Amino acid sequence: MTDNTQRPEHGANSARPADLPTQYAPAEVEGQLYDRWVERGYFEADAKSDKEPYTIVIPPPNVTGSLHLGHAFEHTLIDALTRRKRMQGHETLWQPGMDHAGIATQNVVERELAKEGKSRHDLGREAFVERVWKWKGESGGQISGQMKRLGDGVAWSRERFTMDEGLSQAVQTIFKRLYDDELIYRAERIINWCPRCLTAISDIEVEYQDDEGELVSIRYGEGDSSIVVATTRAETMLGDTAVAVHPDDERYRHLVGTEIELPLTGRRIPVVADEHVDPEFGTGAVKVTPAHDPNDFEIGRRHDLPNLAVMDEHAVITAHGPFQGLDRLEARSTIVAALRAEGRIVAEKRPYTHSVGHCSRCKTTIEPRLSMQWWVKVGPLAKAAGDAVRDGRVDIHPKEMESRYFGWVDNLHDWCISRQLWWGHRIPVWYGPEGEVVCVGPDEEPPSGDGWRQDSDVLDTWFSSGLWPFSTLGWPARTESLEKFYPNSVLVTGYDILFFWVARMMMFGLYAMDGTPPFRTIALHGMVRDQFGKKMSKSFGNAVNPLDWMDKYGSDAVRFTLARGANPGVDVPIGEDWVQASRNFANKIWNATRFALMNGATIEGELPAPEELRAEDRWILSRLYSVVAEVDAYYDDYQFAKLSDVLFHFAWDEVFDWYVELSKTTFAKGGPAADASRRVLGEVLDVTLRLLHPVVPFVTEALWTTLTGQESVVIADWPKDGGFRDRAAEQEIETVQQVVTEVRRFRADQGLQPGQKVPARLDLAASPALAAHEDAIRQLLRLQPESEGFTPTATLPVAGATVALDLSGAIDVEAERKRLAKDLAAAEKELAQTTAKLGNEAFLAKAPDNVVEKIRGRQATAQADIERISAQLAGLPQT
């Protein structure tokens, strides 16, 4: 048996229960403890250290953001990992920082300007950017303070911002390298366009929802040469440049290569054959609008069709004719009416529900739009990102998520990286008066003189955040931090951004760092949902501010609830009742530890040898070191829910409800056995608090420092499995638990109060191991010794022992008999009814399976109730 406990200096008695208030008040403890941790530099990381590094980056929250439950969940998991690794002796870096959040931040400042009756154009680009920096300094980044409330152990001195000078240099450096390697290019392509934000947006910034619209079928051409096409966006027909059919579709083969008239426009457009068309869907013919649909754009490229844009950046119709100047939605209804008047509408379906993309920032319906943009050629980068997982350099956890990752990187399209914003990293490309194009690196002077201008676009936010694992460490310089802490040990993030942020970091890390991936493991978690499994949303009325729960129940309670629901890659339901239960757990830890200290629990001196310990002492130490091993295994497998559950049941059930209670008898008797148990209890508390610390850091810090007299559990050693196991002691205490549990159940069935004392005779002769625990069994069960006139009214054989109880003076037998008889009659009636239904063939033939199963369940419950109540009646004293 190994003693892993750090010893207090000078051997002073460290347990000071008077230092602990009688009740745990999180608000009075958490803030001051966190400030002390930061002041003492516990969370800082030294690049010069010879310790083994352990690095995790924070998924950088938006500078506009505030702490939501998703953040609290993810940060709890990362904090637990880093606190444990720090205790294990690693040089641990949890790298903090924030994302400049291009669109979101620009929208915030533009709304402020609108209140003043101004737009960004009134200020001009330079003044507007200065205004955003001012907003960032005054109002941005409030989430940092909220992270401290949660207990995030990040290295605050290393905090970075994706627009700071160092990260801006990194962005310009990698853009230049990619450009020179012909992996960045400029071209016209279809992009997601937000007519409100007036910029291209990434796929992750598009939210799809089912909207009600209309599906109209329109006849193009006349007579035998006509074709019917269907669309939900009738306004785009003004930009049609072809109709496409499948090459093998016999219905239209005679029309391929001919032209038909496009209604309302007077233009004639060709009929082309393309294998992209599904002949089984609809009429088997599709309108082709290359400038306003990504699939149509590809058809247009294959058939050399013109790209005819009919909407401007505000989604207003620009095509000449009666519809010019109309908003797209106004134009839609107007065009349908005009087609109807010409007899071109073959069918109309409304409402027609279909999936429509919306801008995640402003909720405007996005518009596919042909636009000149900057792109990353992702082919070779994505292949490298896939190979790094396939060859084992990077592990994805849980492993079943690998297929989703490969499904993405193996089919990745070129990435549109330009945004039509003013806030962000401006594209480092200059255009000259003679058509020159010059990409400028961070150490190069941009060209100047008449006619030279810089590209007006900025880079997609994901471009800079894709550099996060190495730009935050000083890249492109070969800094000590980069040498020490790259690659990251693990990335902890949600599966929802596996395709976007994770894939970007993999591509850029492998490219910039000579084939070294940015992290060794990708640990994916699910999304936080409400207690019914529904997505949390303000519109649903189920969104929760975690700060409210922290105010009410404490940060530890919120953290423990989130960790206890964190199964790898699986969504996490959470409700306030669960947070309240976690608060009760924190209170239990506090009260039980305080009680133990008041009864002399200590870490002084060496642990007694096993042969000097009572069975309950050996049992709890055996269980303790088993739990250490179990928790370690779960941490290494990122099984936060399982390790939290193990710790919960060990601490509450085994330590506080059993060992502390079993020890009371020993403490009362005093002597060497009591001293040994006090030392064992101190050991158990010390190790248990250290095991709990990464998940519930505040309450464990307050209790552990009181128990040990040492500086902080943050820098204490992580417990090690001492290897001590005593299966015989475990079996002995399990037998005691069985006796106590069975008699408690019987007492409860008879309506006895938990503290109500009854006379009893214990026959433990058949079990010598139980005989040694008679005093404890009597205390736990509130059993008095036999007295004169003792008359057994109930006898319970359990676990090789016999417990005879005299209940004659404890309960009103007749009243209890009547109550049980009433319950028995109800159970028998339920059994008769369910049995009759299940015996009815006609009912079984018609009833749904789930209804039949429900009735079978009721039948089984009724049968069990009858057996239970009958046993209780038989156990009542005879009158």
Side-chain angles (χ1 to χ4, degrees):
M1 182 165 53
T2 302
D3 176 13
N4 299 301
T5 309
Q6 295 180 354
R7 301 291 165 232
E9 294 180 5
H10 312 304
N13 190 336
S14 56
R16 300 185 302 273
D19 293 349
L20 295 175
T22 55
Q23 292 184 330
Y24 178 49
E28 298 174 11
V29 172
E30 295 177 347
Q32 61 179 337
L33 288 182
Y34 190 87
D35 291 342
R36 187 188 308 160
W37 294 334
V38 173
E39 289 167 7
R40 294 179 179 177
Y42 294 156
F43 305 139
E44 297 303 323
D46 182 4
K48 299 180 185 296
S49 167
D50 58 2
K51 297 178 182 178
E52 183 180 351
Y54 186 81
T55 315
I56 294 181
V57 295
I58 189 173
N62 288 351
V63 67
T64 59
S66 59
L67 191 75
H68 56 63
L69 268 178
H71 291 130
F73 173 55
E74 186 167 79
H75 291 197
T76 293
L77 305 187
I78 299 175
D79 198 39
L81 290 173
T82 54
R83 284 179 183 269
R84 172 176 175 257
K85 285 296 182 180
R86 190 178 293 112
M87 295 172 75
Q88 287 182 317
H90 290 71
E91 193 61 39
T92 302
L93 170 60
W94 183 7
Q95 173 67 53
M98 285 183 293
D99 194 291
H100 65 278
I103 294 177
T105 306
Q106 180 157 318
N107 281 349
V108 167
V109 178
E110 285 197 272
R111 283 196 294 269
E112 283 192 353
L113 287 174
K115 295 175 184 176
E116 302 170 14
K118 299 178 182 178
S119 74
R120 61 182 161 122
H121 300 285
D122 295 323
L123 272 65
R125 184 170 194 143
E126 186 174 338
F128 177 78
V129 171
E130 287 180 5
R131 178 72 176 258
V132 179
W133 276 110
K134 181 182 177 185
W135 176 88
K136 190 257 182 187
E138 295 174 351
S139 306
Q142 62 174 313
I143 194 171
S144 295
Q146 296 165 348
M147 288 163 56
K148 295 174 182 177
R149 283 283 312 278
L150 187 65
D152 285 7
V154 300
W156 287 112
S157 69
R158 292 172 171 267
E159 188 172 14
R160 303 304 299 269
F161 180 56
T162 51
M163 287 280 286
D164 69 28
E165 184 177 352
L167 268 64
S168 295
Q169 184 182 39
V171 167
Q172 196 171 352
T173 299
I174 202 163
F175 187 100
K176 171 69 172 174
R177 290 187 186 179
L178 289 164
Y179 182 87
D180 289 346
D181 287 344
E182 298 184 349
L183 293 173
I184 282 183
Y185 64 93
R186 191 167 182 249
E188 261 196 333
R189 298 282 187 275
I190 294 286
I191 45 88
N192 302 310
W193 180 264
C194 176
R196 158 62 184 80
C197 297
L198 297 180
T199 182
I201 60 176
S202 67
D203 290 338
I204 197 172
E205 292 163 323
V206 178
E207 292 180 348
Y208 288 89
Q209 66 184 48
D210 288 340
D211 286 358
E212 284 192 358
E214 62 177 343
L215 179 69
V216 293
S217 298
I218 309 168
R219 178 172 51 83
Y220 288 13
E222 302 292 343
D224 293 339
S225 299
S226 67
I227 296 180
V228 174
V229 298
T231 181
T232 58
R233 301 164 64 216
E235 69 280 8
T236 62
M237 68 163 291
L238 300 176
D240 286 358
T241 55
V243 171
V245 298
H246 193 275
D248 299 330
D249 195 329
E250 293 290 343
R251 293 171 295 176
Y252 304 116
R253 182 166 291 179
H254 68 288
L255 294 177
V256 173
T258 67
E259 291 185 343
I260 58 175
E261 184 173 330
L262 179 65
L264 305 181
T265 67
R267 286 192 292 115
R268 296 188 67 79
I269 57 176
V271 178
V272 299
D274 194 280
E275 291 188 352
H276 169 76
V277 180
D278 181 1
E280 303 298 324
F281 183 78
T283 63
V286 296
K287 57 192 288 300
V288 183
T289 321
H292 293 279
D293 183 273
N295 294 322
D296 293 2
F297 178 76
E298 295 301 326
I299 293 176
R301 292 178 68 179
R302 288 192 288 271
H303 298 277
D304 199 24
L305 300 174
N307 300 316
L308 183 59
V310 294
M311 275 181 265
D312 65 14
E313 65 270 23
H314 298 280
V316 170
I317 301 297
T318 57
H320 292 296
F323 313 110
Q324 186 175 10
L326 294 179
D327 171 80
R328 58 183 166 168
L329 298 182
E330 296 174 321
R332 182 175 301 169
S333 57
T334 305
I335 287 171
V336 170
L339 290 167
R340 190 183 299 114
E342 289 191 4
R344 294 285 176 178
I345 300 296
V346 176
E348 295 180 70
K349 184 177 181 180
R350 74 166 67 87
Y352 178 73
T353 302
H354 60 128
S355 182
V356 177
H358 296 259
C359 173
S360 64
R361 302 299 177 188
C362 67
K363 311 308 177 187
T364 301
T365 301
I366 63 107
E367 189 65 40
R369 184 170 188 255
L370 185 64
S371 179
M372 181 68 75
Q373 302 285 343
W374 284 94
W375 303 79
V376 171
K377 186 184 296 183
V378 299
L381 302 175
K383 181 181 184 303
D387 290 345
V389 174
R390 287 189 170 95
D391 64 24
R393 281 174 289 161
V394 178
D395 292 323
I396 293 180
H397 187 88
K399 193 170 181 62
E400 53 264 29
M401 287 285 181
E402 278 188 2
S403 59
R404 297 181 64 177
Y405 176 78
F406 292 137
W408 178 257
V409 298
D410 292 348
N411 299 283
L412 201 56
H413 297 155
D414 285 0
W415 171 20
C416 176
I417 56 172
S418 46
R419 299 291 179 267
Q420 291 64 55
L421 304 171
W422 286 356
W423 173 245
H425 295 102
R426 196 163 176 182
I427 289 176
V429 172
W430 272 255
Y431 305 106
E434 304 299 325
E436 303 96 329
V437 179
V438 177
C439 180
V440 178
D443 300 321
E444 300 172 347
E445 287 293 325
S448 58
D450 291 344
W452 283 94
R453 62 180 179 85
Q454 185 178 359
D455 194 298
S456 60
D457 288 352
V458 300
L459 287 163
D460 177 13
T461 297
W462 295 101
F463 190 94
S464 51
S465 61
L467 313 181
W468 193 248
F470 51 94
S471 64
T472 52
L473 298 173
W475 188 89
R478 302 300 297 192
T479 64
E480 287 183 321
S481 290
L482 189 66
E483 295 292 339
K484 178 74 173 179
F485 296 113
Y486 188 92
N488 291 185
S489 305
V490 60
L491 174 75
V492 179
T493 192
Y495 64 71
D496 57 317
I497 55 175
L498 172 65
F499 315 129
F500 305 103
W501 188 46
V502 178
R504 309 286 192 245
M505 287 189 291
M506 286 286 282
M507 291 191 296
F508 281 165
L510 290 159
Y511 174 80
M513 298 301 293
D514 303 319
T516 301
F519 19 74
R520 297 186 181 92
T521 299
I522 302 168
L524 297 170
H525 58 73
M527 313 302 294
V528 179
R529 297 182 177 273
D530 70 13
Q531 60 188 319
F532 305 109
K534 190 175 182 179
K535 179 181 177 181
M536 285 191 173
S537 167
K538 290 181 180 178
S539 61
F540 295 155
N542 63 349
V544 172
N545 183 347
L547 297 170
D548 293 339
W549 279 352
M550 283 189 262
D551 289 341
K552 193 171 182 180
Y553 303 111
S555 298
D556 282 337
V558 174
R559 291 171 62 113
F560 192 72
T561 304
L562 291 166
R564 205 172 176 194
N567 290 297
V570 178
D571 288 345
V572 183
I574 185 172
E576 187 167 1
D577 289 350
W578 305 340
V579 184
Q580 187 173 356
S582 295
R583 187 271 314 273
N584 295 343
F585 180 51
N587 289 344
K588 182 77 170 181
I589 299 170
W590 183 274
N591 294 334
T593 303
R594 189 173 184 279
F595 172 83
L597 292 175
M598 292 175 65
N599 282 271
T602 180
I603 65 164
E604 281 190 10
E606 297 298 318
L607 280 169
E611 60 270 17
E612 299 173 16
L613 297 175
R614 294 168 61 85
E616 58 262 39
D617 298 326
R618 299 195 307 276
W619 160 71
I620 198 64
L621 288 172
S622 181
R623 288 293 304 127
L624 175 69
Y625 294 124
S626 295
V627 166
V628 170
E630 200 171 355
V631 168
D632 274 334
Y634 284 141
Y635 260 117
D636 292 342
D637 199 34
Y638 305 98
Q639 297 278 2
F640 296 97
K642 290 182 178 178
L643 72 88
S644 298
D645 211 48
V646 165
L647 286 170
F648 174 85
H649 287 294
F650 175 70
W652 191 308
D653 299 343
E654 297 184 78
V655 178
F656 303 142
D657 278 358
W658 283 105
Y659 181 68
V660 169
E661 291 299 319
L662 287 169
S663 299
K664 285 181 180 178
T665 306
T666 308
F667 293 156
K669 290 180 178 178
D675 291 339
S677 290
R678 291 187 180 98
R679 178 63 189 87
V680 170
L681 181 53
E683 175 80 2
V684 172
L685 288 175
D686 167 30
V687 174
T688 302
L689 291 171
R690 282 187 279 151
L691 288 173
L692 282 165
H693 172 72
V695 181
V696 283
F698 294 109
V699 67
T700 51
E701 171 81 341
L703 294 173
W704 189 86
T705 52
T706 301
L707 170 69
T708 66
Q710 295 181 48
E711 183 180 340
S712 174
V713 70
V714 177
I715 54 173
D717 290 340
W718 180 252
K720 295 179 181 177
D721 176 8
F724 177 73
R725 301 291 189 275
D726 190 330
R727 185 55 191 153
E730 290 187 34
Q731 290 176 339
E732 183 171 327
I733 300 305
E734 285 168 7
T735 304
V736 173
Q737 291 173 325
Q738 186 179 353
V739 171
V740 172
T741 301
E742 288 299 319
V743 177
R744 278 178 174 167
R745 183 180 295 118
F746 178 79
R747 286 175 55 110
D749 287 344
Q750 302 307 317
L752 293 177
Q753 295 301 313
Q756 191 172 351
K757 295 181 178 180
V758 295
R761 177 189 299 143
L762 273 62
D763 181 2
L764 308 176
S767 177
L770 282 176
H773 301 282
E774 179 170 352
D775 290 345
I777 291 172
R778 283 187 176 276
Q779 180 177 316
L780 290 168
L781 291 171
R782 304 296 190 268
L783 302 180
Q784 294 176 317
E786 300 173 55
S787 57
E788 187 176 350
F790 176 81
T791 305
T793 57
T795 302
L796 305 175
V798 54
T802 302
V803 181
L805 304 173
D806 182 356
L807 304 179
S808 57
I811 60 173
D812 183 336
V813 176
E814 282 308 310
E816 185 66 11
R817 195 182 301 281
K818 288 179 181 178
R819 183 185 72 79
L820 290 172
K822 182 179 179 181
D823 291 346
L824 180 62
E828 288 173 339
K829 181 179 180 181
E830 172 74 353
L831 179 63
Q833 290 177 340
T834 53
T835 301
K837 277 194 174 183
L838 293 173
N840 186 334
E841 294 297 334
F843 168 77
L844 292 176
K846 295 180 180 179
D849 290 345
N850 64 317
V851 173
V852 174
E853 283 305 310
K854 188 175 181 180
I855 294 173
R856 286 198 178 112
R858 286 169 50 195
Q859 182 189 47
T861 299
Q863 184 63 54
D865 286 344
I866 290 170
E867 293 172 5
R868 175 180 55 81
I869 297 167
S870 297
Q872 290 176 239
L873 282 166
L876 287 176
Q878 298 300 314
T879 56

